[in-house]
Amino acid sequence: MKETITAPGAPAAIGPYSHAVKVGNLVFLSGQIGIDPATGKVEGDITAQTRQAIANIKTVLASVGATLDNVVKTTVYLGEMHFFNAMNEVYAAEFGEPYPARSAFSIKELPKQALVEIEVIAAL
């Protein structure tokens, strides 16, 4: 049975998607950019945006009783590959070892001119 998740305190969706979908013991989170839920704006450099994207992920995970420790796979989309090292510094500090499996890509453009978007899969 599929359950859609709308997380209180997370930024409102900017398109036709759910914050997350739970199937069995897996939770698939939609990609999060560094939107400040209070203002609806994406601001700051890659470090600030990565921190905010992960904060948004934590909010969605908390709504299903999970934390970053439950994350088994991440996908990181970067507006430019030269952001990779700065994103990695924040990512490593937030996730800690053992790290989840991960893919990272540089893409042409992200919504709201964001510099980073991160999506995760968590196991409960």
Side-chain angles (χ1 to χ4, degrees), residues 46-115:
I46 186 64
T47 298
Q49 288 189 33
T50 302
R51 278 194 191 106
Q52 185 62 59
I54 293 172
N56 295 341
I57 289 166
K58 289 178 179 178
T59 299
V60 177
L61 288 170
S63 75
V64 295
T67 69
L68 292 179
D69 290 337
N70 295 94
V71 175
V72 296
K73 172 71 169 83
T74 68
T75 305
V76 178
Y77 304 96
L78 296 164
E80 297 182 33
M81 193 50 80
H82 71 85
F83 296 143
F84 188 78
N85 290 336
M87 175 279 298
N88 259 342
E89 287 182 26
V90 176
Y91 183 99
E94 290 286 344
F95 279 93
E97 293 187 36
Y99 301 112
R102 183 180 88 180
S103 301
F105 304 93
S106 174
I107 62 171
K108 185 175 178 180
E109 188 174 2
L110 290 163
K112 294 189 170 252
Q113 289 73 51
L115 304 177

Side-chain angles (χ1 to χ4, degrees), residues 33-54:
I33 59 176
I35 295 177
D36 181 330
T39 65
K41 294 181 181 179
V42 176
E43 298 178 321
D45 63 7
I46 186 64
T47 298
Q49 288 189 33
T50 302
R51 278 194 191 106
Q52 185 62 59
I54 293 172

Side-chain angles (χ1 to χ4, degrees), residues 13-26:
I14 57 173
Y17 59 87
S18 301
H19 285 138
V21 174
K22 183 179 176 223
V23 179
N25 71 332
L26 295 177

